[in-house]
């Protein structure tokens, strides 16, 4: 389908001044959502939320100054949508890391201004010859982003094939923090996790909050509770509530891995932490034909 122009998108779904489409970084099309409570940016490339700032606070999402903004490349930061596999593809490591959704051009499907003053945008990605070259199944993804005092993101996956499929999914959220070495993440106490920095060894978090003192790459299992990120440097607490998600991934690349990533500044690692709402590994989804699944995350800023 030929890509809709910015003018056509604004005519069909624009709600100026609350929702306006424009050319963003690298000329990629983005929606700018503005409400009395917050601002946000959502790119059609990857259905990628790159920015969320409630009034009176610093941006809540981290986006790298070195990120590519280019079709065919992922955006580094914000909220990459990961589907249908997480990390390297198990049966084919030459396939793109973290699946196809973050590399695809999504279409804008619906917009709405709510009585509360919040504004909502839905984006869709349906299987096509391009996606079938990478993954043989038929599906429809819908990401609904609601912006107000909180940022709400809901990812719906529908199986439109004749047969069942297995898939993984994540809202791979990069949070901005003052200094990752000083943050405490709560909500994962007592949970088991797979440590990707230690050959996927299964470990337990114990009763301590998560702190970051080295490269950290963990898949927490069976986690449904809300998580909080306490940030003494920015003097704020970020609260993440979720539904339809069995895992939380915690990731910070630390020094060496940051240096090895071409689209991430060498000195940016202290200013971010990924806390990802997902269904991956042992909690991958199995969807029968005609079935769908909804996973959602709500992010808000509070006082510590
Ligand atoms: C995390 C993974 O979710 O994403 C890490 O657990 C990975 O292993 C990280 O390094 C970043 O991946 P990418 O493909 O965006 O560089």
């Amino acid at each position: 389908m030929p890509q809709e122009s910015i003018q056509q998108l604004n005519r069909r779904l624009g709600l100026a001044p609350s929702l306006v489409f424009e050319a963003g970084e690298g000329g990629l099309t983005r929606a700018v959502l503005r409400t009395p409570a917050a601002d946000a940016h959502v790119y059609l490339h990857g259905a990628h939320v790159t920015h969320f700032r409630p009034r009176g606070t610093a941006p809540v999402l981290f986006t790298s100054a070195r990120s590519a903004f280019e079709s065919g490349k992922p955006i580094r930061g914000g909220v990459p949508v990961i589907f249908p596999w997480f990390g390297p593809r198990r049966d084919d490591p030459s396939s793109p890391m973290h699946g196809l959704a973050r590399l695809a051009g999504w279409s804008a499907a619906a917009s709405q201004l709510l009585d509360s003053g919040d504004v909502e945008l839905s984006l869709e990605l349906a299987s096509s010859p391009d996606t079938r070259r990478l993954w043989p199944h038929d599906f429809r993804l819908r990401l609904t982003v609601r912006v107000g005092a909180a940022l709400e993101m809901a990812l719906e996956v529908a199986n439109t094939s004749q047969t069942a499929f297995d898939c993984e999914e994540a809202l791979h959220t990069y949070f901005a923090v003052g200094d990752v070495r000083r943050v405490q993440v709560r909500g994962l106490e007592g949970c088991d996790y797979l440590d990707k920095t230690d050959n996927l060894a299964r470990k337990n978090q114990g009763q301590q909050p998560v702190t970051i003192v080295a490269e950290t790459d963990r898949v927490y299992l069976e986690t449904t509770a809300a998580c909080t990120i306490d940030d003494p440097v920015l003097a704020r607490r970020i609260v993440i509530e979720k539904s339809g998600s069995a895992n939380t991934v915690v990731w910070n690349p630390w020094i060496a891995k940051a240096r090895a990533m071409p689209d991430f500044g060498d000195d940016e690692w202290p200013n971010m932490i990924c806390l990802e709402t997902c269904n991956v590994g042992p909690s991958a989804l199995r969807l029968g034909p005609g079935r769908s699944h909804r996973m959602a995350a709500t992010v808000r800023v509070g006082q510590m």
Side-chain angles (χ1 to χ4, degrees):
M1 201 175 79
Q3 232 204 325
E4 228 175 335
S5 70
I6 286 173
Q7 208 182 19
Q8 287 167 326
L9 281 165
N10 276 321
R11 221 177 291 129
R12 188 166 64 86
L13 294 172
L15 300 167
S18 308
L19 194 166
V20 175
F21 292 91
E22 64 174 32
E25 303 273 351
L28 297 179
T29 303
R30 72 179 174 201
V32 176
L33 286 70
R34 274 197 198 97
T35 77
D39 289 348
H41 296 165
V42 185
Y43 281 76
L44 297 193
H45 175 56
H48 204 122
V49 181
T50 56
H51 170 73
F52 171 60
R53 173 156 56 185
R55 298 265 167 270
T57 69
V60 172
L61 301 177
F62 164 91
T63 299
S64 171
R66 301 278 301 275
S67 176
F69 282 88
E70 201 177 317
S71 61
K73 293 196 175 165
I75 296 172
R76 173 72 65 198
V79 190
V81 175
I82 309 301
F83 174 88
W85 60 87
F86 180 82
R89 190 173 180 176
R90 260 179 289 282
D91 47 357
D92 179 10
S94 69
S95 290
M97 171 88 172
H98 282 326
L100 54 84
R102 68 175 178 168
L103 298 172
W106 292 49
S107 48
S111 62
Q112 200 185 351
L113 191 56
L114 299 146
D115 291 344
S116 59
D118 291 1
V119 64
E120 203 174 85
L121 174 67
S122 297
L123 303 164
E124 283 188 353
L125 178 69
S127 47
S128 66
D130 283 346
T131 67
R132 273 181 225 110
R133 267 193 287 279
L134 288 165
W135 198 59
H137 306 286
D138 285 330
F139 64 89
R140 181 174 296 276
L141 296 181
R142 188 178 178 98
L143 182 79
T144 301
V145 179
R146 182 183 292 187
V147 175
L151 170 68
E152 295 179 37
M153 297 169 288
L155 179 64
E156 290 169 69
V157 184
N159 180 351
T160 53
S161 323
Q162 301 301 315
T163 51
F165 62 62
D166 296 323
C167 62
E168 296 177 296
E169 58 173 358
L171 294 166
H172 188 311
T173 313
Y174 287 69
F175 291 101
V177 293
D179 184 343
V180 78
R181 292 161 290 199
R182 296 188 55 195
V183 307
Q184 296 199 322
V185 177
R186 293 199 169 73
L188 299 169
E189 295 84 348
C191 293
D192 280 358
Y193 63 89
L194 305 178
D195 189 344
K196 290 174 85 171
T197 68
D198 188 11
N199 284 319
L200 292 172
R202 189 171 177 130
K203 302 180 180 174
N204 186 276
Q205 179 57 35
Q207 292 313 311
Q208 302 308 311
V210 180
T211 52
I212 307 293
V213 296
E215 181 189 349
T216 303
D217 194 354
R218 302 177 180 173
V219 180
Y220 283 84
L221 305 171
E222 291 162 45
T223 70
T224 50
C227 285
T228 56
I229 303 172
D230 283 350
D231 182 343
V233 175
L234 296 182
R236 71 178 180 190
R237 166 176 291 171
I238 297 172
V239 181
I240 307 115
E241 292 170 313
K242 62 175 189 159
S243 61
S245 155
N247 309 124
T248 299
V249 169
V250 179
W251 179 62
N252 179 276
W254 206 251
I255 301 161
K257 193 151 186 190
R259 289 200 178 131
M261 292 192 289
D263 59 346
F264 188 89
D266 291 357
D267 301 325
E268 288 183 319
W269 61 269
N271 300 122
M272 54 71 67
I273 184 169
C274 283
L275 218 79
E276 308 169 28
T277 295
C278 42
N279 289 304
V280 299
S283 299
L285 300 176
R286 162 146 286 235
L287 283 184
R291 307 298 296 214
S292 60
H293 178 83
R294 182 177 189 275
M295 174 175 83
T298 301
V299 175
R300 66 183 88 243
V301 175
Q303 298 289 318
M304 275 176 62

